[in-house]
Amino acid sequence: MDHFSSRALQIALMAILVIVGYALVAAGLGLILSGVLPGGSPIITGAAFFIVALLVIPLRDGMQYAIDKLFFRNRRAYQERLQTFSGELTRVVDLPGILTTLRRYVMDAISPSALHIFVYDALSDQYAAAPDEQNQPTSDLRFAANSGLLARLGEKSGSFVLGELTHLPTALEGDRARLTLLGARAFVPLPGRQRLSGWLALGPLSSGEPYRAQQIEFLEALCDQAALAIERAQVVANMETRVREMNVLARVAQGVNITLTLDDILELVYAQTTSILQTDDFHIMLYTQESDMYQFAFYLEDDERVEKMEALPIPAGQALEQEVIRQRKSILTDDYGRECQLRGVLAGRRNLYAWMGVTLNAGAETIGALSLGNTDPAYSYTLEQQNLLQAIADQVAGAITKAELLQESQRRARQLTTLNEMTRQLTSTLETEPLLQNILNSAVDIINCEAGSLLLMDTASDELVFRSVVSPVASDLLDKRMPADRGVAGKSVKSGEPIIVNDVSKYPEWFPAPDQETGFVTRAILVIPLMVKDEVIGVIEVLNKKDGSIFSKDDQDLLAAFGSQAAVAIENARLYTNTDQELSARVEELSVMQRIDRELNTSLEPARAMRITLEWAMRQSGAAAGLVSIVLEDASGDLRVMASQGYTHELDKYESEPLSAKENGLTEPIADGQPMRRTFDPAQDAKGLLSGACSQIIIPIRRETTTIGLIVLENTTDAALNEDTMSFLMRLSDHASIAISNAQLYAAVQQANLAKSDFVSFVAHELKNPMTSVKGYTELISAGAVGPVNEAQANFLGTIRANVERMNTLVSDLNDMSKIEVGRLRLDFKPVRLAETLEEVTRSIRKQVEEKTQTLKMSIPEDLPMLWADRVRLVQVLVNLVSNAHKYTPAGGVIEISAERSKNLWDANGAAEVVHIWVKDNGIGINEEDQKKIFQKFFRSDDPKTREVTGTGLGLNITKSLVELQGGRIWFESEFRKGTTFHFTAPVSEG
């Protein structure tokens, strides 16, 4: 039944008293009538009634008084507990802490035999029991968001108390089994703005008594406060989850764009997906439309990759992923086995429950599916998680397509142009040596010859080189050379035409002579040139037809047709090899340059940037010594050596004096900004910086059109660097110039900041003396030291003194801010007792507080540990906060200063234990818009009440910096026109 009101309880008790009264009257009357008591007359009977009534009425009144006394005492106790609970909630920000606090207060005040706190789980869209003090769930039961119990709790009077479960309300019949297992009797909702945040389910009271109205009201009040805190914590947790999901999507997008290997892409997707989605099985299935084939590209089961399941054809109806691909529609289920059964698919695994699969779409084509599975029966995937997985899949699909296209292009690049029927025996390889051997083997087989050889032109030496031979020609011919104008092969190269020699003995240009080692005798020869774009790149020679016949015109035409295909294949292989080598070199260079950029940009120190530049320049060039120098900005144009390697004592004198560009022949590259190579003859006077140097490479470092430095590389040999290395050094200098310029600009800014700090410090120091004099003389005049002061003069002197004080504050604040910005503020850390510090603070502000009839309260525990801080700066922080509270709190207001020892809940990287200090006022507060800017330098609110108080806008900025410099954190809470609380922490002294 529903809980009853306090008035109903009183009426029930009164009814019991009346019944007792009537029972006593009836008993007395019965005794009189039966003769047990004397009487029998109406007078005696009436007297009996009168006496009984006299007894019942005081008894009733006495019980009523006791009930009222007990009722109000309990109510007062509950109110006190609610206030304490509210205070504790303000210091707890995480959901487990809130639930632990709520559980403790319920158990202490009500003492139920069991307590379950059900809270909403956004991932499963269900309500689950929160863990107890041992971090164990109090129940395994879960309630769906549309259950009858939720509907009942969501009503206006949501709390209710159940009697026996045999007569449940109709709305709760659907949850009878769960309620029976739960064994709860009282239910109190945790309200929320959009849905219930949860509810309390309480077992019977440990005392055996029924629940009273006061207890239910108390629980409702607790839940109202806890629900707000829970909702706040859940909002923060949801935001963190969203941020984590967006980070994962960003990492996936970044990773798939820079990763070329398909398997690396799939590993990346798995690692990032499982960091935000719980799964035991992770599958990526790909579909090839041309062959109508399904296969797993990535198969993971129980967090273990099963590679034997990958790249195998999967017959239709063997996997639920096939349905996702076939229907081009996502699938989400809580029971994988049942879903497979409904769709007529063979379940690939038992004991798999929650499962979802999404499509991999490349444009309008579905190329596969991405699926997750979970073995926990209680776990469910949500539509939101499915959408997140689909977002990941959309990025993955494009990456897979690009990776497959890359693989396909690489495969096609290794293939030869389709040869005609006579060249089917040639393979599609683009590796030069196997290709040449296959070409020659095919040529020999096509014409049915005994032997052959393939020679290619070396254009550099104008020679033919034996690149492949077929037995019985001796293998030692390989790589041997012959002049391009000798023999039959030379004649074919020169004429560009096929040549048939059926009797070599009559052909004087045959070369070489018959093989002496093998005894092979050349009888006939057919030579065809290998031509690409009218240029002969080599020749194919075939010797002696096996049937002893001569070479015919048909043989020549057939081999020539084959040769044209072979020449294209050879050229393609050559181009592929060169391209592949160039591409590999380019990729390697880009990788190196990326590492250089990363190293250069990790620091804004010019010297470090130059050292890194020199290291890479010497590494790539193989120089024996080198240096990086900066062109001086004076008229001399000389250089300052900033980094060097490989020298012994040659550069010692340049540590104290510039390197002369003119004396060392470096003016030209500085002037024209072009790289220069010099060689030195030991017999001449000119020489490099390195002892024994024979060559020197000079690379200018330019910023826009100006040479700002030089890279000088020296070697003890006169070998020139190749074009690729020179190009690399030029690109290196371009990257280095940006890093060096940035570092120089940063150093200039730092120097400017230091100069500004010095200037501010100088001005502050110079201003303080006259301000002190002005203040002193003002006070002397005000005191009548030079004669009586009338009221108008006193007012003027007060204005002067106030403005001097304001100017003094502004100068001090500017001085502190300047020192903080350039890291020159010195702190003297030592153990500090907070109570003593606060005495100094309150002494300095008490007069102003009293003048404004404000109340200053302090609540500092006696056992508060000492702080590890700079006492002077801690006083400054407290004075700023208390002064602000005083200035922005109306007359008659209250300022409270409190502190407590606490674990560091605000800074994971800070001290383990801190003293948490806060200054609270009931002043004008801060509006929401200003709260975002409150710690900015020179910020002054547009709020008229704030503008009534003078200020520099620097106090809170300096306060924040001082707190953080001492290892603490500062924050605030404010309600517009109701007050503000500033919190900050300071580390506990370990001494």
Side-chain angles (χ1 to χ4, degrees):
M1 64 178 176
D2 294 336
H3 71 85
F4 38 84
S5 67
S6 59
R7 184 61 184 162
L9 175 61
Q10 294 176 16
I11 293 172
L13 293 174
M14 293 301 298
I16 293 171
L17 290 174
V18 172
I19 293 171
V20 171
Y22 278 115
L24 291 173
V25 172
L29 181 61
L31 292 173
I32 294 171
L33 295 177
S34 63
V36 176
L37 295 174
S41 67
I43 296 174
I44 295 174
T45 304
F49 274 105
F50 179 72
I51 293 168
V52 170
L54 290 176
L55 294 172
V56 170
I57 290 171
L59 177 61
R60 183 201 65 185
D61 293 341
M63 294 185 67
Q64 179 66 44
Y65 175 78
I67 290 169
D68 291 344
K69 191 77 172 176
L70 178 62
F71 178 80
F72 287 112
R73 186 173 70 247
N74 288 343
R75 179 177 291 276
R76 200 160 46 245
Y78 287 150
Q79 289 296 332
E80 291 175 356
R81 288 179 180 271
L82 282 173
Q83 292 177 1
T84 308
F85 178 69
S86 178
E88 286 198 31
L89 276 188
T90 62
R91 297 190 295 273
V92 182
V93 296
D94 62 308
L95 184 59
I98 295 169
L99 298 179
T100 299
T101 304
L102 176 61
R103 178 181 296 279
R104 174 161 50 83
Y105 271 80
V106 172
M107 295 302 294
D108 290 346
I110 307 300
S111 298
S113 58
L115 172 61
H116 308 282
I117 304 177
F118 283 84
V119 292
Y120 179 70
D121 179 11
L123 292 178
S124 62
D125 195 26
Q126 294 179 330
Y127 290 83
D132 56 15
E133 294 82 353
Q134 286 74 39
N135 202 30
Q136 296 296 325
T138 58
S139 172
D140 293 332
L141 296 175
R142 288 176 175 261
F143 290 83
N146 59 355
S147 71
L149 177 60
L150 267 294
R152 177 64 184 83
L153 288 168
E155 294 177 359
K156 185 174 182 181
S157 56
S159 302
F160 62 91
V161 178
L162 288 178
E164 297 299 327
L165 296 180
T166 53
H167 297 90
L168 283 177
T170 305
L172 301 181
E173 279 296 336
D175 293 315
R176 175 182 290 276
R178 288 187 177 87
L179 294 176
T180 302
L181 292 173
L182 197 60
R185 289 293 178 266
F187 297 82
V188 183
L190 289 162
R193 285 180 294 180
Q194 296 180 347
R195 62 171 70 84
L196 282 180
S197 295
W199 72 87
L200 304 185
L202 302 94
L205 293 177
S206 301
S207 62
E209 299 176 357
Y211 282 92
R212 298 194 303 274
Q214 288 176 262
Q215 294 170 322
I216 299 299
E217 290 175 1
F218 172 70
L219 290 173
E220 288 177 339
L222 279 181
C223 288
D224 287 343
Q225 295 188 27
L228 292 175
I230 290 171
E231 198 162 29
R232 182 178 68 246
Q234 288 176 332
V235 167
V236 172
N238 289 339
M239 289 179 62
E240 291 175 348
T241 300
R242 291 292 179 272
V243 170
R244 189 165 62 251
E245 290 173 354
M246 294 305 295
N247 286 338
V248 166
L249 287 173
R251 286 194 293 271
V252 169
Q254 181 182 10
V256 298
N257 285 329
I258 64 175
T259 307
L260 298 179
T261 306
L262 179 60
D263 197 63
D264 291 344
I265 292 175
L266 302 183
E267 285 283 1
L268 168 69
V269 172
Y270 162 69
Q272 295 299 327
T273 302
T274 54
S275 69
I276 55 172
L277 295 175
Q278 182 177 334
T279 181
D280 297 306
D281 287 12
F282 182 91
H283 299 155
I284 295 179
M285 175 178 281
L286 298 181
Y287 173 66
T288 305
Q289 186 174 4
E290 292 77 8
S291 59
D292 192 27
M293 184 178 69
Y294 301 89
Q295 61 183 11
F296 286 110
F298 193 93
Y299 191 97
L300 185 135
E301 188 173 297
D302 289 331
D303 291 331
E304 294 289 338
R305 187 168 180 181
V306 186
E307 293 186 356
K308 67 179 182 179
M309 294 294 296
E310 298 172 3
L312 296 176
I314 308 298
Q318 298 292 311
L320 195 54
E321 290 86 352
Q322 294 173 331
E323 290 296 300
V324 174
I325 299 170
R326 187 175 62 83
Q327 297 183 6
R328 305 182 66 181
K329 184 178 180 181
S330 301
I331 296 177
L332 178 66
T333 179
D334 290 336
D335 192 332
Y336 171 76
R338 182 182 61 198
E339 190 71 24
C340 290
Q341 185 176 7
L342 290 174
R343 295 178 181 271
V345 174
L346 182 64
R349 185 182 178 193
R350 298 178 181 177
N351 301 324
L352 197 62
Y353 297 95
W355 189 92
M356 62 176 171
V358 297
T359 56
L360 294 171
N361 298 318
E365 182 183 355
T366 298
I367 64 169
L370 172 61
S371 67
L372 306 179
N374 201 298
T375 57
D376 183 359
Y379 189 81
S380 297
Y381 292 117
T382 65
L383 183 60
E384 186 177 357
Q385 290 175 313
Q386 177 184 308
N387 293 336
L388 176 61
L389 187 64
Q390 185 64 66
I392 295 174
D394 290 342
Q395 297 190 47
V396 173
I400 290 175
T401 301
K402 287 190 289 186
E404 288 182 335
L405 287 174
L406 177 63
Q407 291 179 344
E408 177 66 15
S409 64
Q410 290 175 337
R411 185 181 66 83
R412 289 182 181 275
R414 290 191 300 265
Q415 291 179 343
L416 300 172
T417 303
T418 304
L419 299 176
N420 57 32
E421 294 182 359
M422 293 180 294
T423 59
R424 288 180 180 176
Q425 296 183 21
L426 294 180
T427 66
S428 61
T429 181
L430 289 175
E431 295 181 17
T432 305
E433 297 304 325
L435 174 64
L436 297 178
Q437 190 63 48
N438 286 336
I439 289 174
L440 183 58
N441 289 338
S442 299
V444 171
D445 291 341
I446 289 171
I447 308 300
N448 193 27
C449 294
E450 294 180 347
S453 58
L454 189 152
L455 298 87
L456 294 181
M457 281 291 301
D458 182 356
T459 55
S461 60
D462 196 28
E463 292 178 321
L464 285 169
V465 182
F466 283 88
R467 298 295 305 275
S468 182
V469 295
V470 172
S471 180
V473 176
S475 59
D476 60 0
L477 283 176
L478 286 176
D479 296 326
K480 285 191 174 181
R481 297 170 175 265
M482 57 177 288
D485 58 353
R486 298 275 307 271
V488 181
K491 186 177 181 180
S492 179
V493 169
K494 187 175 181 179
S495 64
E497 298 290 338
I499 296 176
I500 297 176
V501 179
N502 283 319
D503 188 358
V504 295
S505 62
K506 298 180 179 180
Y507 198 84
E509 296 185 6
W510 164 246
F511 183 86
D515 190 271
Q516 300 295 326
E517 181 178 346
T518 62
F520 177 76
V521 177
T522 301
R523 300 188 303 274
I525 182 173
L526 170 59
V527 180
I528 58 107
L530 299 172
M531 302 187 65
V532 175
K533 297 180 180 180
D534 298 330
E535 182 181 350
V536 178
I537 65 170
V539 295
I540 295 176
E541 297 178 338
V542 290
L543 310 176
N544 302 349
K545 297 186 68 172
K546 289 183 178 178
D547 59 4
S549 62
I550 61 174
F551 294 108
S552 64
K553 184 69 168 56
D554 291 338
D555 294 331
Q556 174 184 304
D557 293 340
L558 180 59
L559 191 58
F562 172 78
S564 64
Q565 299 292 331
V568 173
I570 293 171
E571 181 64 11
N572 287 343
R574 186 185 67 81
L575 291 175
Y576 171 78
T577 300
N578 293 342
T579 302
D580 187 52
Q581 290 173 350
E582 292 174 2
L583 180 61
S584 298
R586 184 61 177 157
V587 169
E588 175 64 22
E589 181 182 328
L590 290 174
S591 176
V592 168
M593 201 61 70
Q594 186 180 31
R595 292 200 300 272
I596 293 172
D597 284 341
R598 190 162 53 245
E599 292 179 8
L600 286 173
N601 294 324
T602 55
S603 173
L604 288 173
E605 298 178 12
R608 185 175 186 276
M610 295 178 193
R611 286 197 303 271
I612 294 171
T613 301
L614 179 59
E615 288 173 1
W616 279 101
M618 293 191 63
R619 185 183 307 176
Q620 295 297 112
S621 66
L627 63 85
V628 175
S629 59
I630 295 298
V631 179
L632 298 178
E633 295 182 357
D634 56 22
S636 68
D638 289 339
L639 302 157
R640 173 74 64 192
V641 177
M642 303 297 294
S644 63
Q645 282 189 25
Y647 298 100
T648 52
H649 303 289
E650 294 91 339
L651 301 181
D652 288 352
K653 67 177 181 178
Y654 300 123
E655 293 179 1
S656 57
E657 63 181 66
L659 174 66
S660 173
K662 184 176 182 180
E663 292 179 3
N664 291 279
L666 302 175
T667 54
E668 182 179 341
I670 293 176
D672 61 19
Q674 297 298 317
M676 184 175 74
R677 179 177 182 272
R678 297 195 300 169
T679 57
F680 306 110
D681 186 349
Q684 307 252 338
D685 292 336
K687 60 181 180 179
L689 295 167
L690 177 68
S691 299
C694 293
S695 62
Q696 189 181 71
I697 300 293
I698 304 159
I699 308 294
I701 301 175
R702 294 178 63 81
R703 181 172 60 200
E704 297 179 353
T705 59
T706 305
T707 301
I708 63 172
L710 295 179
I711 303 173
V712 179
L713 304 173
E714 298 186 300
N715 229 324
T716 53
T717 65
D718 60 355
L721 296 179
N722 59 43
E723 185 178 345
D724 291 340
T725 303
M726 286 297 296
S727 298
F728 173 85
L729 292 176
M730 289 297 296
R731 285 190 289 272
L732 175 62
S733 74
D734 292 340
H735 288 252
S737 69
I738 296 172
I740 292 170
S741 296
N742 290 340
Q744 289 174 331
L745 289 173
Y746 177 76
V749 170
Q750 289 294 93
Q751 191 63 34
N753 279 335
L754 290 174
K756 181 192 73 174
S757 176
D758 291 339
F759 174 74
V760 171
S761 297
F762 171 76
V763 171
H765 180 269
E766 291 299 315
L767 285 175
K768 281 193 175 183
N769 289 332
M771 284 193 298
T772 302
S773 297
V774 172
K775 181 179 178 183
Y777 284 116
T778 302
E779 291 175 349
L780 287 173
I781 295 172
S782 299
V786 294
V789 178
N790 60 38
E791 184 179 353
Q793 291 171 335
N795 289 336
F796 289 159
L797 290 171
T799 301
I800 293 172
R801 186 166 53 250
N803 279 282
V804 168
E805 290 289 348
R806 182 182 178 189
M807 189 172 180
N808 185 55
T809 301
L810 177 60
V811 169
S812 296
D813 286 348
L814 285 172
N815 193 24
D816 286 344
M817 182 187 69
S818 178
K819 288 180 179 179
I820 290 169
E821 285 181 345
V822 297
R824 282 186 171 182
L825 187 69
R826 295 182 180 178
L827 298 178
D828 182 15
F829 286 94
K830 61 178 66 175
V832 178
R833 195 175 301 279
L834 181 62
E836 296 176 357
T837 305
L838 286 174
E839 287 180 7
E840 180 179 342
V841 173
T842 54
R843 279 198 306 270
S844 67
I845 195 108
R846 187 172 299 279
K847 181 179 178 182
Q848 295 96 308
V849 170
E850 291 174 352
E851 289 175 352
K852 211 171 179 181
T853 65
Q854 294 172 333
T855 303
L856 182 60
K857 298 180 180 179
M858 284 196 298
S859 177
I860 308 299
E862 293 182 359
D863 60 347
L864 193 70
M866 298 184 76
L867 286 64
W868 185 249
D870 182 314
R871 188 178 187 280
V872 173
R873 295 304 178 178
L874 180 61
V875 169
Q876 185 177 349
V877 168
L878 288 166
V879 167
N880 278 347
L881 296 180
V882 175
S883 176
N884 276 357
H886 157 69
K887 289 189 291 186
Y888 298 111
T889 299
V894 179
I895 302 171
E896 301 177 31
I897 306 174
S898 306
E900 65 177 359
R901 182 173 188 165
S902 172
K903 292 189 178 300
N904 196 345
L905 306 175
W906 304 276
D907 186 2
N909 299 321
E913 283 193 312
V914 295
V915 173
H916 171 206
I917 307 163
W918 63 96
V919 178
K920 182 179 180 181
D921 64 62
N922 58 351
I924 63 175
I926 309 169
N927 63 46
E928 289 188 7
E929 184 64 27
D930 289 346
Q931 288 182 21
K932 304 172 184 176
K933 311 171 186 175
I934 198 68
F935 288 115
Q936 293 180 4
K937 287 185 291 189
F938 302 108
F939 172 72
R940 294 282 290 155
S941 173
D942 293 329
D943 182 7
K945 287 189 175 294
T946 302
R947 287 289 180 177
E948 292 176 2
V949 180
T950 59
T952 64
L954 292 174
L956 284 177
N957 176 265
I958 293 172
T959 299
K960 182 176 185 293
S961 298
L962 291 177
V963 169
E964 292 176 349
L965 285 172
Q966 296 179 83
R969 288 289 180 271
I970 186 169
W971 69 99
F972 68 94
E973 301 158 352
S974 185
E975 192 171 354
F976 193 52
R977 295 295 184 259
K978 292 188 177 181
T980 303
T981 304
F982 274 90
H983 303 257
F984 73 94
T985 61
V988 169
S989 176
E990 297 180 356

